Amino acid sequence: MTNIPPPAEELRLLDAELRQLDARRAVLLRRREWLVHVLRTASAQRSVPGAGQMPPVWPVAPGAAAPRTEATAPGVQNVLLLLGGILLTVAAMAFTLVGWGHLGITGRALVLAAVTLAALSAPVWLLRRGLGSTAEAVAALGMALTVLDAYALHEVAFDGSGGLGYAAAASAVLSAAWAAYGAAADLLVPRSDAGSPTRPDRARAGAATAARPALRLPLPCAVVTAQVPLLLWALAVDAGPHTLTAVLLVTAAADTVVALRPAHAPVRVVGLVGACGAGALGVLSAGWLCWSAAAPGAAARGAALLLLAAAIALAAARYAPKPEVALCASLAAGLCLVAGTGGVLRAWLPGEWTVPGCLALGIALLTAVRTPLPRPMRQGVVGASLVVQGLAVLWTLPLVAGTLLGPVALIERPWSGTPLDIRDAVFQDAAWPSYATAAPPVLAAVAGVLALAERRAVRRPASGVGALVLAWAAVVVTPVVLELPYGAGLVADGAAVVVALGVAERARRGTGGPSAPALTALVLALVTSVTLALVSLATEAGTLAVLLALAALFGVASARPGLVAFTAPAALAHATALACAAGASAGLRPEHTALLVLVVPAVAALVAARTARADRSAATVPIEAAGAAAALLALTLAVTDLPVLASVLALCGVVAAGTALRPERRRAGHAAAALFLLAAWVRLAAWEVTTPEAYTLPVSVAALAVGHLRRRRDPSVSSWTAHGAGLSVTLVPSLLAMWGDPHWLRPLLLGTAALAVTLVGARSRLQAPLVLGGGTLALVALHELAPYIAQVVGVLPRWAPPALAGLVLLALGATYEQRLRDARRLREALGRLH
């Protein structure tokens, strides 16, 4: 039996074979052109006397790629037709505008009628002979001539009529005439003759060929021209803005019908563009009329126009062929509905309640989920509701930002006095929003919607996080909006911190570990605590009480294993601020306050050790970081007083040394040693000690002791690793100081010490002490002999030093090999040392 493939598969196979035939035909045509060129060249050479022989013809291998052409035949054809149509149109315009007056009325009418009739009739004849592109060009010329006919008719017969009115009528007539012309071409030209035989795609288009008109230009041009008649008519009769807006919306409705009907693709595209453009202009105009109206009646008229736009969008969504189009149209319909109703509410309600009213309408749109509408339409309406809710939340952002950032100004004037109320403390240097009364209900309503969505498992956990943030924002701004007393406002913010910590703990228990809601609640608690601490700066007692309460609250919350990584550093930060505030309250200077701040690093070290033992390693690093930040603050406060700075450095060294007792923090011992060294140096600087050995000897002694202990544990350690740094710390600075010291004591002591180091290195067979000590001893001897050497050089004649240098070079050259052997023995001897 014959296996007949499905129509779609057979169509695909036919398309593939036709493409192969087209490609093969193109190759053969190029080969033919090349052969013709070769034959013509050979003929020309034979006709010229003395011409050489014809060059050999090299055949082209089958399947070889032909040279790429810069323009295709259809492209060249279209360019030529376009240029011809443009030139003919320009000539017709010149004839109509310039040479029109040379003929009488009858002659003018006959010429234009004959030319137009010929231009409009020729495409049918051309289409029947397969000249589709030429027919399109001539049809475009004929339509351009109809525009000139309309202009000529106005100049001859309707000269006294208004320009806009005649343009409206003429555009309507032209649109209808072009649409009828395109339909007539479809009726007069058989479908098989509508295209060019050189275009095999018409034969391969299948069912799509039936939807393609014979002439592709008239119908899209008719749709484009149909955009202006109503608008020109409205302008001609001096219509008001409401009428103009209605005209735009009616035009958009007509374009929507054209875009949704099963027409040719260019017609649908033109209709879609016209619907979007006219609809957008109409909606913007209607929104401006509705929201700028001073009276409820004018607002209602604008709202009616917005409702008309919403109805058009809903109809487009109902009959849209694609789900994406339906979703966008229903989204626009929902926004138009809310905008129109909101404009009426703005005219009836006080200004600050307009946004809550629009929000209520936006939330009401969510009921579309329960309706039997198609799924794309329901999604679009829900999207419109989300857009309205998002805009309402953005409307409240200035108030929320002012509530959080306004207290920062109190840092410049702490303890300036008790404010009148909490609003005066927060917005003392910021402008108070006029709509603030309605902000808390807006935030609470959107938070409720998100909480309901989270309960129904919609966009979880994003819905839960959003609900938590918005509910927190409503709670934070409520005391400021209600103008609570200053103390009551502080208590309300403190309660918000407690509630946020409780929500974080509950969310952690519910999920069994850190989750997005738990982390969000923790962050909100920290932000609220910072705002509360800043607001409390208005009074001294309030600052101390709030900071003490916050430090205790976060300290108690640190007992929870899931919160300690956040709450313990927060408690330490508030304790640091409390220490600074206590010092300022006691009248202490900043450097003395630093001693109070040092309590925080000590507590942090103890808490970090406890968390490490309790298997809460995730909190150890944050706690230690908070302690290090407090220590750095203490050093900054004490930097103006060197004795106190030395004490602070020493105490920080004690804390670091205590931390180094833990096995996993042995490296903290290096920090402790550095802090102790810095403390000693700062103390010496405070005593105005300028002798470098006073600074370097303690370091050398400690380094040599550590190196000695290390070599006792591991004899394979090099002497440079064990003793090189310790010896260099003292010997190098002392050498530098010796060259500028005119006295004899320093060279004597340094030479003695260098001799002792050299002898110890020789006895112990250690390379580092031997080299460093011997080098230092040689430099000290050179320093002591330098005056005598200079004196001797001054006594000798000037030719003596060059002569001496030459003798030395000759001696070295004569005994070069012996010197190399001596240097090699010295290197081997040093290499045998440790």
Side-chain angles (χ1 to χ4, degrees):
M1 296 179 64
T2 304
N3 185 15
I4 300 177
E9 181 65 20
E10 185 177 3
L11 180 60
R12 187 185 67 79
L13 295 175
L14 290 176
D15 289 342
E17 293 180 2
L18 289 172
R19 282 194 296 269
Q20 293 178 0
L21 290 175
D22 291 341
R24 181 60 180 168
R25 183 174 182 273
V27 171
L28 294 176
L29 287 174
R30 292 190 181 94
R31 178 63 177 172
R32 181 182 181 279
E33 293 175 359
W34 184 79
L35 292 173
V36 170
H37 173 72
V38 169
L39 291 176
R40 288 177 180 174
T41 304
S43 177
Q45 289 179 353
R46 284 193 299 269
S47 62
V48 177
Q53 297 181 355
M54 183 182 66
V57 178
W58 298 100
V60 179
R68 185 179 64 87
T69 58
E70 296 184 358
T72 61
V76 174
Q77 177 186 7
N78 293 333
V79 170
L80 295 177
L81 292 174
L82 178 62
L83 291 176
I86 291 175
L87 292 176
L88 289 175
T89 304
V90 170
M93 292 177 62
F95 171 75
T96 305
L97 299 176
V98 179
W100 187 252
H102 300 291
L103 299 175
I105 296 177
T106 305
R108 302 169 192 171
L110 291 176
V111 170
L112 272 180
V115 174
T116 304
L117 182 61
L120 294 177
S121 302
V124 177
W125 181 80
L126 294 171
L127 286 173
R128 288 179 177 178
R129 283 154 181 79
L131 303 176
S133 299
T134 308
E136 295 287 353
V138 177
L141 175 62
M143 290 188 292
L145 288 175
T146 58
V147 177
L148 295 176
D149 287 338
Y151 169 75
L153 185 62
H154 175 268
E155 293 295 324
V156 173
F158 300 99
D159 192 13
S161 62
L164 287 177
Y166 180 80
S171 59
V173 172
L174 287 175
S175 176
W178 290 349
Y181 178 64
D186 287 341
L187 295 176
L188 294 176
V189 180
R191 187 66 62 185
S192 59
D193 299 337
S196 173
T198 61
R199 295 183 180 180
D201 55 334
R202 287 188 178 272
R204 300 194 302 266
T209 306
R212 179 178 296 179
L215 292 175
R216 289 176 288 183
L217 284 179
L219 291 180
C221 293
V223 176
V224 172
T225 309
Q227 307 297 314
V228 295
L230 287 178
L231 183 61
L232 291 175
W233 170 81
L235 294 175
V237 298
D238 294 331
H242 290 83
T243 304
L244 289 173
T245 305
V247 164
L248 289 173
L249 293 177
V250 171
T251 304
D255 290 331
T256 303
V257 173
V258 173
L260 294 178
R261 66 185 297 272
H264 187 40
V267 179
R268 292 198 304 270
V269 170
V270 173
L272 179 61
V273 173
C276 294
L281 290 176
V283 167
L284 292 176
S285 177
W288 179 78
L289 292 173
C290 182
W291 282 81
S292 63
R301 289 195 295 272
L305 294 174
L306 286 172
L307 293 179
L308 174 60
I312 296 172
L314 282 177
R318 177 65 181 82
Y319 297 102
K322 295 183 178 181
E324 297 82 2
V325 178
L327 189 149
C328 295
S330 56
L331 173 65
L335 293 177
C336 290
L337 179 62
V338 174
T341 312
V344 175
L345 291 177
R346 187 196 64 81
W348 285 93
L349 297 176
E352 64 269 17
W353 294 103
T354 302
V355 173
C358 294
L359 177 62
L361 294 172
I363 295 175
L365 291 178
L366 293 175
T367 56
V369 178
R370 301 286 186 179
T371 60
L373 292 174
R375 179 181 176 85
M377 294 185 65
R378 294 200 307 269
Q379 291 178 344
V381 175
V382 171
S385 174
L386 295 179
V387 170
V388 173
Q389 295 179 55
L391 293 176
V393 171
L394 290 177
W395 177 73
T396 64
L397 281 184
L399 176 63
V400 177
T403 303
L404 296 178
L405 302 178
V408 176
L410 292 174
I411 296 177
E412 299 179 355
R413 51 177 187 278
W415 302 347
S416 57
T418 305
L420 298 176
D421 50 43
I422 191 68
R423 180 189 296 181
D424 182 58
V426 174
F427 283 89
Q428 189 171 0
D429 293 338
W432 173 252
S434 59
Y435 56 82
T437 306
V442 168
L443 293 170
V446 180
V449 172
L450 292 177
L452 182 61
E454 194 271 340
R455 178 172 295 181
R456 295 184 178 181
V458 179
R459 299 286 184 182
R460 184 183 290 178
S463 300
V465 172
L468 184 59
V469 172
L470 294 179
W472 165 80
V475 171
V476 169
V477 301
T478 298
V480 183
V481 172
L482 297 179
E483 298 185 71
L484 295 180
Y486 178 68
L490 295 180
V491 172
D493 288 343
V497 177
V498 175
V499 171
L501 288 175
V503 171
E505 175 61 18
R506 181 179 179 182
R508 186 193 65 81
R509 289 181 178 179
T511 57
S515 60
L519 295 178
T520 303
L522 274 174
V523 173
L524 295 178
L526 295 175
V527 173
T528 310
S529 67
V530 173
T531 303
L532 176 58
L534 292 174
V535 174
S536 68
L537 290 175
T539 60
E540 180 180 350
T543 302
L544 296 175
V546 166
L547 292 176
L548 179 60
L550 289 176
L553 175 63
F554 282 102
V556 172
S558 300
R560 302 296 180 182
L563 308 181
V564 63
F566 296 90
T567 55
L572 294 173
H574 290 300
T576 303
L578 177 62
C580 296
S585 177
L588 299 178
R589 299 177 62 182
E591 57 269 20
H592 297 151
T593 304
L595 298 175
L596 290 177
V597 176
L598 283 178
V599 176
V600 177
V603 174
L606 296 176
V607 174
R610 183 178 178 182
T611 55
R613 289 195 300 269
D615 196 16
R616 298 179 185 178
S617 57
T620 303
V621 174
I623 292 173
E624 291 175 345
L632 183 61
L633 176 61
L635 293 173
T636 305
L637 293 174
V639 75
T640 56
D641 193 327
L642 292 182
V644 177
L645 179 60
S647 302
V648 171
L649 286 169
L651 292 175
C652 291
V654 171
V655 174
T659 303
L661 295 177
R662 292 157 45 196
E664 72 277 6
R665 289 291 184 266
R666 295 299 187 196
R667 295 183 179 274
H670 302 293
L675 289 171
F676 286 133
L677 177 61
L678 290 175
W681 285 357
V682 171
R683 175 61 64 181
L684 292 174
W687 289 338
E688 299 181 357
V689 175
T690 59
T691 303
E693 286 79 8
Y695 295 89
T696 59
L697 277 177
V699 181
S700 294
V701 171
L704 291 174
V706 172
H708 178 67
L709 294 176
R710 185 174 181 183
R711 277 187 57 79
R712 287 185 60 183
R713 284 199 217 98
D714 187 6
S716 63
V717 175
S718 172
S719 63
W720 288 103
T721 303
H723 307 297
L727 292 173
S728 301
V729 167
T730 296
L731 294 178
V732 174
S734 298
L735 277 173
L736 296 176
M738 179 191 66
W739 288 99
D741 191 354
H743 303 286
W744 58 270
L745 183 58
R746 187 189 301 275
L748 177 61
L749 295 178
L750 181 59
T752 304
L755 178 60
V757 170
T758 304
L759 295 176
V760 171
R763 183 178 181 278
S764 303
R765 300 175 62 87
L766 297 177
Q767 188 179 109
L770 183 61
V771 173
L772 292 176
T776 304
L777 185 59
L779 290 176
V780 170
L782 180 62
H783 174 269
E784 293 302 314
L785 294 176
Y788 303 102
I789 296 173
Q791 184 177 0
V792 171
V793 171
V795 172
L796 293 175
R798 293 189 177 183
W799 55 265
L804 181 61
L807 292 175
V808 171
L809 292 176
L810 288 176
L812 289 177
T815 59
Y816 180 73
E817 294 183 359
Q818 182 63 33
R819 300 288 81 76
L820 287 179
R821 286 194 295 269
D822 294 341
R824 192 178 299 112
R825 293 193 190 98
L826 178 60
R827 186 184 63 184
E828 292 174 355
L830 289 175
R832 287 193 294 270
L833 302 178
H834 289 283

